[in-house]
Amino acid sequence: MHRLVTFVAGTVVGGGAIYALTSMTRQQPTAIAAPPIRTPAMSQPQQQQQQQQQLPVRAPPVQPRQLVLEGDNTNNEFLKYGNPGPVSDFLLRSRYAASFNRALRNPNWVAEHLTQDNLKGTADRSSSEFKEDPQVPAPFRALLKDYYRSGYDRGHMCPAADAKKDADSMNETFFLTNISPQVGKGFNRNYWASLETFVRDLTKSFDDVYCISGPLYLPEKEGDKWMVKYEVIGNPPNVAVPTHFFKVIMAKRTNEPGFAIGAFALPNKEIDNATPLTSFSLPLEAIEKAAGLQFFDKIERKTGVVTPLCAKTQCTLNHDSWKKKKPNGE
């Protein structure tokens, strides 16, 4: 049966999008019995003659078709002159790792490891500037001009406030490979910012916090069809505007076995601060299916090993935590 998320019947994130995201129905094929095959009766001499003729024949072993991962081998006739991709640029920075999508000019994901110690620092974002990432080939870069008068903020996946270690670490969070177009008022400057603070505050009760953030492009139902629609900003159009964003969080205490995992998907639109964070909580597998990603796949997902994050800590946001609001467009 469908596992529907019932937060306000899905209206906060979008009923159609969440229905598509969490529908995990699997229909098993029904086995059809083959009719019995009738063979003509044989006399005893005929049976003995047939048995003598049936020599044991050992079938040759079936060789499994090997799965060749992208980039592992181009020594074949099909890729003689090159592998077309797709290419996801992997970027390793001081405070995060990221995968960049060249077609959408957005991150696929941005991963962080947060502790009380590595969040310390005095770096100030006031001297940081947004910049295009030279590690991505020019034809596939997100450009500063794409965001100019677009109506969207340049929203961080790894927040600048997570990189106060030093100025270089802070500046790295302003590469456009760490940025997605986000609705400003009510989202990037408010609800999303409060969620970022929530993740940082988890380090007060957990020794290690791992957070992976990224965009989603979810379908909505129009009539009897499911449609994925998103805006593209820039002139000419260059950067896709995600419909939603996810944060997948894993937290661990060194003196306790197991892991606490939470997964959240938020719509890229203004969200009322009264909306509880748990309204956006989803099964981890639902976000994996929508994003085409696997999170923390080295952890065995079974009872006793993985506990829901919101069962280990109170999943509430403190919207008063931002004493200094983000500048417009950031």
Side-chain angles (χ1 to χ4, degrees):
M1 61 183 294
H2 294 301
R3 296 188 296 175
L4 296 179
V5 179
T6 57
F7 44 91
V8 198
T11 55
V12 175
V13 174
I18 289 304
Y19 181 91
L21 189 61
T22 59
S23 177
M24 311 290 283
T25 302
R26 294 290 184 272
Q27 295 182 351
Q28 300 296 332
T30 303
I32 301 176
I37 301 175
R38 296 185 179 182
T39 56
M42 301 174 62
S43 65
Q44 187 172 358
Q46 288 175 323
Q47 292 176 355
Q48 292 176 350
Q49 183 179 6
Q50 185 186 51
Q51 291 174 356
Q52 292 175 356
Q53 293 174 347
Q54 289 178 342
L55 299 177
V57 178
R58 180 171 296 177
V62 177
Q63 298 295 330
R65 178 176 294 178
Q66 294 184 348
L67 175 63
V68 179
L69 298 179
E70 178 187 326
D72 285 354
N73 185 9
T74 57
N75 186 23
N76 59 71
E77 63 175 299
F78 311 109
L79 301 177
K80 181 178 180 179
Y81 297 105
N83 186 337
V87 174
S88 293
D89 297 284
F90 177 74
L91 307 161
L92 184 60
R93 311 293 194 194
S94 173
R95 290 294 300 119
Y96 66 89
S99 170
F100 184 73
N101 188 309
R102 292 185 175 186
L104 300 173
R105 277 71 160 176
N106 271 260
N108 292 310
W109 50 263
V110 176
E112 303 178 71
H113 174 213
L114 297 85
T115 67
Q116 281 193 310
D117 285 339
N118 68 26
L119 285 174
K120 294 177 181 178
T122 58
D124 191 324
R125 65 180 289 160
S126 62
S127 59
S128 299
E129 296 181 352
F130 289 97
K131 50 196 172 185
E132 298 163 12
D133 197 330
Q135 291 196 30
V136 176
F140 308 112
R141 289 178 196 163
L143 306 176
L144 290 171
K145 67 178 184 178
D146 295 329
Y147 286 86
Y148 181 66
R149 292 185 176 178
S150 68
Y152 292 95
D153 282 8
R154 293 166 290 194
H156 286 70
M157 296 297 100
C158 170
D162 292 2
K164 291 184 176 181
K165 173 185 173 183
D166 52 50
D168 288 340
S169 299
M170 175 76 69
N171 290 338
E172 286 180 339
T173 68
F174 284 81
F175 280 119
L176 293 186
T177 43
N178 180 47
I179 302 297
S180 285
Q182 290 187 329
V183 169
K185 181 181 178 182
F187 189 67
N188 176 51
R189 306 172 207 168
N190 304 99
Y191 205 96
W192 183 257
S194 298
L195 179 55
E196 292 171 340
T197 302
F198 167 79
V199 176
R200 282 191 293 274
D201 286 347
L202 288 174
T203 62
K204 298 175 182 178
S205 54
F206 293 91
D207 297 291
D208 293 278
V209 176
Y210 293 84
C211 180
I212 304 177
S213 307
L216 291 170
Y217 306 86
L218 300 185
E220 290 284 354
K221 196 167 188 180
E222 295 185 2
D224 60 350
K225 297 182 179 180
W226 291 94
M227 307 290 289
V228 176
K229 292 184 177 181
Y230 53 85
E231 186 178 348
V232 182
I233 60 174
N235 186 18
N238 193 46
V239 177
V241 179
T243 64
H244 295 71
F245 289 93
F246 68 81
K247 275 192 183 290
V248 174
I249 304 163
M250 187 273 281
K252 181 169 176 54
R253 299 184 177 110
T254 55
N255 61 348
E256 292 183 5
F259 307 86
I261 294 181
F264 305 91
L266 288 69
N268 188 11
K269 65 180 183 180
E270 184 174 354
I271 301 175
D272 191 325
N273 283 348
T275 307
L277 176 60
T278 51
S279 297
F280 304 112
S281 178
L282 291 172
L284 181 60
E285 295 78 9
I287 295 181
E288 288 181 325
K289 184 176 180 181
L293 304 172
Q294 287 184 298
F295 303 105
F296 311 123
D297 60 332
K298 293 184 178 180
I299 297 175
E300 187 177 5
R301 297 180 192 176
K302 66 178 184 178
T303 304
V305 176
V306 173
T307 303
L309 178 66
C310 296
K312 283 282 190 177
T313 191
Q314 192 171 6
C315 288
T316 56
L317 300 183
N318 177 10
H319 296 290
D320 296 326
S321 62
W322 278 82
K323 304 298 182 182
K324 185 178 180 180
K325 294 184 178 180
K326 288 185 178 183
N328 290 352
E330 300 184 11

